[in-house]
Amino acid sequence: MIAMMWWGYSGMSGWGYALMGVSTVVFWGLLVALIVVAARYASRNVRVEASSAAPEELLAQRFARGEIGSEEYYAGLEVLHARHDRPIGGR
């Protein structure tokens, strides 16, 4: 019995290598697209939750973080609680 060595031959033709290369690029492209879509979805949810807070709550958070002083905080509260007889900018 003679043992034959098939060095460097995997049994795939040129079409097999082409399909393997294309499928690898498609796989990584889909994976990157999935990560980008997930990141955008997550950041959109964070923005929606932040914007749904009440104005008084946002003002209190800014005051607690030290972004505004007590004068600005109370002036902002006064503006928020003030009753406007006409819309701002209206005649």
Side-chain angles (χ1 to χ4, degrees):
M1 179 187 309
I2 299 173
M4 297 184 80
M5 302 282 182
W6 295 93
W7 295 101
Y9 180 70
S10 64
M12 249 194 317
S13 67
W15 288 108
Y17 285 113
L19 182 62
M20 183 176 58
V22 168
S23 64
T24 301
V25 170
V26 168
F27 169 77
W28 286 110
L30 287 174
L31 187 64
V32 168
L34 179 68
I35 291 170
V36 168
V37 167
R40 285 186 176 182
Y41 179 76
S43 68
R44 182 177 59 101
N45 283 345
V46 168
R47 278 186 260 138
V48 168
E49 289 173 9
S51 65
S52 66
E56 293 90 358
E57 187 177 327
L58 292 175
L59 193 62
Q61 289 174 0
R62 289 186 62 203
F63 180 63
R65 286 192 299 261
E67 293 176 7
I68 59 174
S70 60
E71 296 86 18
E72 289 178 88
Y73 173 71
Y74 289 115
L77 280 179
E78 185 177 325
V79 168
L80 289 174
H81 293 155
R83 182 177 174 135
H84 298 285
D85 293 333
R86 59 188 168 118
I88 297 174
R91 295 182 177 207

